[in-house]
Every structure is written in structure tokens, then in C-alpha cells.
Amino acid sequence: MNTKIYHKEDLRNDQVKTHIKSVLHQGGLVVFPTETVYGIGANALNPQAVLSIYQAKGRPSDNPLIVHIAHKKDLYQYIDDIPRVATKLMDAYWPGPLTLIFDKSSKIPFEVTGGLNTVAIRMPNHPIALDVIGLSELPICAPSANLSGRPSSTLFEHVYEDFNGKVDIIIDGGKAKIGLESTVLDVTTPIPTLLRPGAITKEMIEKTLELGIIDGTDKKVSDIPKSPGMKYKHYAPKGQMTLVDGKIENVITYINQIVKSLDISKTAVIGADEVTSNIDLKYKVSLGHLSNLDEIASNLFIALRQMDDLGIEHIFIHSLPESDLGQAIMNRLSKASGYNTIHV
Ligand code: TXA
Ligand code: MG
């Protein structure tokens, strides 16, 4: 397949808009940027189109997709019963990186939900994403635009690497600002349940609702995952990754010691400046300063992909405090390391 590449400016051109719209109406795939990560989008009302997303990603078809809308009011077309907590959260955080799980209406095909009776919906906060969804006049289901098992794509270069030749259109929107996938919150349970931590943090949700929510995020892969996405290995680079947990001085001492016994041409450390600058290794990727979690989040997936490009076999990262955005970052780090944590 010949993939057409568009840039931000092209979206002002009527011919380009018509092309994007017709591709989506004909069941094609369009990769577009959002504020969290890039998404690979298709018409959520067309089961064949939805199935082709799973195919392009190599994703198990029981892992449901998020439906993206361009206007809050569109939600009322696809969901019959909208709980009060959801309205409050939509008012506070849409458009934005918060996905809500609702009871599915008959309008949404089971192909989107992996057979579940619930459906995930979000309104992204990115001008290109909103343009694409808005001009299509369709609900667009879009998982993160990465081959299954790889870290989500936060750069155009990464979606190009994974999907050039496999989708109809890729839109280059530069670097995704947040860099971690949206928060997923189930509002069908009597008390809302957090299924995936993201930039809309547990603390923010609780403050808005004036209510404690249930933290259903996976510390470990559980037997019955509340969110199907929880059971799959995610974000994982090819090398063996170790999450080192402890005081910063201990982390630095431990990593400096252990790397002495490893092949330094295949060993790397990823982490905050304060750690990487004190490690004696050739391959060090700094994500930003410890005090700037936004920056750390936005660089994380880029660093994970870099590991594969460099052919790294041993990767060391370190833990962060698990409050606020730290919870989402630690969730991705734990998964990327396959829950391989060393306490020092
Ligand atoms: O930031 C994002 O959410 C990105 C951008 C493109 O919007 N999308 C994204 O989609 O991360 P995806 O498919 O990679 O992750 C969707 C997550 C999965 O963990 C899935 O299991 C969960 O949402 N999910 C979807 N529908 C669900 C449902 N009905 N019940 C529980 N979990 C659901
Ligand atoms: Mg994903």
C-alpha cells in the first residue's frame, strides 16, 4: 500500500480534507497525532475497518479500542446512559487525556469493544486530531499507533517506522506533548475505577468529584484484568530492563557497580538527569530533571525505542515517587521492565 504523508499545513487544503474524509468513509486507516500519543484511526461504526486496525497493529482482537469524538455532544449519540460523575469529569477535562468507560449502546459494534458490553470514549485535545475526527463526521476508534508490544509512538518518525506501507494516511504532527496514553476511568462501577493512570491523575479526579475512587491499576498482572489491555506485555524494549528502586544515592551506586560486569557496548541507563549524569556508561538517556515529571513523561517512550535502535541488551531505569503524574510514569516503567524490580 502506498501511504500518503500529510503535514499540519496540508489540513487547510480542501482536497486533503476530502481525501481524509473519503478514506475514513471507505474503511481506510489514518494515523494522526493526539496530545498523548499518535493514534491509528478508523471509522468506529464499520466493523471491517475496525478489524483492519487490529491487523495492522498485530493486536489481539479481545483488547478493546477507544472511540474518539470531536464534540462533547457527540457522546449523546453513542451512549444512552451517562452517569453524573462522567458529566462532571467531561466538563472538567474534555477535550483532554481522560478516557471514560460507559455502558455500550447498540450503535457501537462489538468489534470496537472486543466483545465487551462497555465502551471507552475520549475527546482528544489536539487540533489535528479534532480536525480529522470533526471533518470525518464519524466516531473514530484509535488505539495507540504502535505495533503491538512496542512502546506507543510519540514522534512522527516512530509511526512512520511502524506503519508506512500499512495504512492509507499518516499525518505528521511533530512530538506528542504528553507522551503517555490517556487516563482510563471506568464510570460504570458504583464508585469510578481507575484502569490506566495518565496525565489526568487520580488526585485530580478525586478533587473534581470530591470523592475517593477505586485504584484498579495493575501493580502486577492479575488473573482477571479489569481492563483487557492490562494483561498484555506493553512498552517493552527488546533488551532486559531492570527497575531500580531506592534512594537516589543507592540507585547510582548500584547501577555503577552492576554495569562493571556487563558488556558496556550493550548496556544503557535511562532516567532523570540527576541519576544519568552520575553513571559511568557510554549509553545514557536523560529524560529531564527529577522535578519536571511532565518532561520525563514526554521523553520516556522515545528513550525506550532508542534502546532497540542501539541494540541494547541491559537497560537500567530508576523508580519515581508514585503520586500525581509519577503514578502513570511508574505504571509504564513497571510494565516495560516486566515487573523486574530491584530494591536497593
Ligand atoms: O491516549 C490514548 O488513549 C491513545 C490515543 C491514541 O488516544 N489511545 C490508546 O489506545 O492508548 P489503546 O488502544 O492503546 O489503549 C486503550 C486502553 C487499553 O488498555 C484497553 O484495554 C482499554 O483502554 N479499554 C478500552 N476499552 C475498554 C473497556 N470497554 N473496558 C476496559 N478497558 C478498556
Ligand atoms: Mg496501546
Side-chain angles (χ1 to χ4, degrees), residues 90-104:
M90 286 156 54
D91 286 344
Y93 301 115
W94 279 14
L98 175 66
T99 296
L100 298 172
I101 310 279
F102 297 97
D103 286 324
K104 186 182 102 53

Side-chain angles (χ1 to χ4, degrees), residues 206-226:
E206 291 183 328
K207 195 160 173 221
T208 303
L209 296 180
E210 297 172 322
L211 152 87
I213 61 168
I214 297 171
D215 191 345
T217 61
D218 46 341
K219 296 284 184 242
K220 277 241 156 39
V221 182
S222 65
D223 290 338
I224 311 166
K226 291 191 190 62

Side-chain angles (χ1 to χ4, degrees), residues 134-198:
L135 70 83
S136 75
E137 299 179 59
L138 293 170
I140 300 293
C141 59
S144 51
N146 52 284
L147 296 176
S148 194
R150 299 204 75 191
S152 297
S153 301
T154 52
L155 295 177
F156 167 73
E157 290 73 13
H158 294 167
V159 284
Y160 186 83
E161 188 178 302
D162 283 7
F163 293 109
N164 185 38
K166 293 189 189 144
V167 298
D168 299 277
I169 295 173
I170 299 179
I171 306 173
D172 177 358
K175 186 180 176 186
K177 190 163 170 267
I178 294 175
L180 299 179
E181 307 86 348
S182 62
T183 305
V184 178
L185 185 76
D186 188 345
V187 289
T188 67
T189 49
I191 296 176
T193 307
L194 182 66
L195 298 180
R196 181 172 71 183

